[in-house]
Amino acid sequence: MLRYALRRLVGAIPTLLVLITLAFFMIRVAPGGPFDSEKSLPPEIEANLNEAYHLDEPLWQQYLRYMGNILQGDFGPSFQYREYSVNELIAQGFSVSLTIGGTALLVALLVGCTLGIIAALRQNRPTDYAVMTLAMTGISIPNFVVAPLLILAFAVGLGWFPAGGWEGDSLAKIVLPVIALALPYIAYISRLMRSSMIETLRSNYIRTARAKGMPERVVILRHALKPAFMPVLSFLGPAAAAIITGSVVIEMIFGIPGLGRYFVQGALNRDYTLVMGVVVFYGILIILFNFIVDLLYGALDPKVRYD
């Protein structure tokens, strides 16, 4: 297990290097610059800014400088939020996104798996059709449509929850963003869980367990749940990174100062270091969560061995 883990970590280094390189040069190709505005700066001031942030250096030299800073864990200063470094902005945004995304992921996992199991046990019955209809609806309707509808219904119409804003100690303000963020993942997880559970329930060892007279609850929880959960576990790797780093649309609609919102503002303002920092951080999270999922396979499936 340890040897496999080390191999995976070492193998992730080239992936990160390719990601950093592509992101660095692609954002520099985009038109505009971090100090462009409606009113042009005097040439001497713009030259001083470029010199201060090393933007007057050749592109290859900027790339090597940036790679050296990355190796030290330094994403550099923000061009627009000049009182903060990119590390500080990522730390602030990620704490917010982690709260909302982690809650949404937990809700999606619990509700999605429950609906998938119920649909599998009631296959080709009205309950199954109802669950799959809801799942297809959740997949088909994007969250930038669902979020305003939730605000109109539960904030403006009924007045149960606030329409937006963020306060870390206010539970009411995270309810609607969590629901809007979790709904598509509930749909995906329920479909995956249903199909996997149906296939698992047709296995020989499930028939043997039932033939021994075990209660259906014991058969589901003890024998069928673990193998049926494996496809969902594979999906959770990239899904966890995407949902925890926060949905850009959800954070913009609800006015949440999360990582996605910083990314959008950085892209609009050509804040090179902020965009690069978020991209690299997001890539690290995807690699990390996929790595954790691979290790969990061995814990859930005894047939998996990391020799």
Side-chain angles (χ1 to χ4, degrees):
M1 175 71 77
L2 180 59
R3 183 179 301 176
Y4 171 80
L6 292 176
R7 285 205 310 267
R8 282 298 307 271
L9 291 176
V10 172
I13 295 176
T15 304
L16 276 177
L17 289 176
V18 172
L19 173 65
I20 295 172
T21 302
L22 289 177
F24 181 87
F25 287 102
M26 286 180 66
I27 194 173
R28 298 307 173 97
V29 172
F35 307 120
D36 293 346
S37 60
E38 295 182 1
K39 183 179 180 180
S40 300
L41 293 174
E44 59 274 10
I45 295 180
E46 185 172 358
N48 290 335
L49 288 173
N50 288 331
E51 182 180 1
Y53 290 103
H54 306 285
L55 296 178
D56 57 340
E57 298 176 351
L59 197 57
W60 64 268
Q61 192 170 348
Q62 296 181 43
Y63 172 73
L64 293 179
R65 181 186 297 276
Y66 186 78
M67 290 297 296
N69 293 334
I70 287 290
L71 293 177
Q72 300 175 24
D74 181 14
F75 290 114
S78 171
F79 294 156
Q80 298 296 328
Y81 303 93
R82 298 178 187 176
E83 298 84 4
Y84 301 94
S85 66
V86 175
N87 294 60
E88 293 172 339
L89 293 175
I90 290 178
Q92 293 176 7
F94 182 64
S95 63
V96 176
S97 296
L98 180 62
T99 301
I100 296 178
T103 306
L105 181 63
L106 181 61
V107 171
L109 191 60
L110 293 177
V111 177
C113 287
T114 302
L115 292 177
I117 293 172
I118 293 174
L121 297 177
R122 302 290 188 271
Q123 185 182 6
N124 297 328
R125 297 180 184 178
T127 304
D128 181 22
Y129 295 142
V131 171
M132 288 301 97
T133 299
L134 291 175
M136 287 302 300
T137 303
I139 294 174
S140 303
I141 302 178
N143 53 15
F144 63 81
V145 175
V146 173
L149 293 178
L150 291 175
I151 293 175
L152 288 175
F154 296 102
V156 178
L158 298 175
W160 290 355
F161 305 104
W166 169 255
E167 291 178 7
D169 56 350
S170 177
L171 181 62
K173 287 194 174 182
I174 71 171
V175 172
L176 294 183
V178 165
I179 293 175
L181 192 57
L183 282 178
Y185 294 93
I186 291 175
Y188 285 115
I189 291 175
S190 61
R191 287 179 58 84
L192 285 173
M193 195 68 187
R194 174 189 178 273
S195 59
S196 180
M197 181 62 74
I198 290 175
E199 183 179 355
T200 302
L201 292 176
R202 294 173 179 172
S203 303
N204 292 330
Y205 65 90
I206 297 296
R207 296 193 187 99
T208 302
R210 285 171 170 167
K212 290 180 178 180
M214 291 185 179
E216 188 68 12
R217 177 177 59 84
V218 176
V219 172
I220 298 299
L221 296 179
R222 183 177 299 178
H223 298 282
L225 187 58
K226 276 188 178 182
F229 186 70
M230 300 302 286
V232 178
L233 184 62
S234 299
F235 172 75
L236 285 181
I243 197 172
I244 289 179
T245 50
S247 170
V248 173
V249 177
I250 296 300
E251 292 180 359
M252 294 297 292
I253 290 176
F254 289 97
I256 299 172
L259 204 58
R261 189 178 181 186
Y262 281 135
F263 179 78
V264 172
Q265 292 176 346
L268 293 176
N269 295 326
R270 297 297 186 269
D271 195 339
Y272 296 154
T273 51
L274 180 56
V275 174
M276 282 291 303
V278 174
V279 169
V280 174
F281 184 73
Y282 183 72
I284 292 174
L285 284 182
I286 291 179
I287 293 173
L288 177 62
F289 282 118
N290 284 329
F291 172 72
I292 294 174
V293 165
D294 288 343
L295 295 183
L296 289 177
Y297 260 95
L300 294 178
D301 191 350
K303 294 182 294 184
V304 176
R305 292 292 181 267
Y306 298 112
D307 296 330

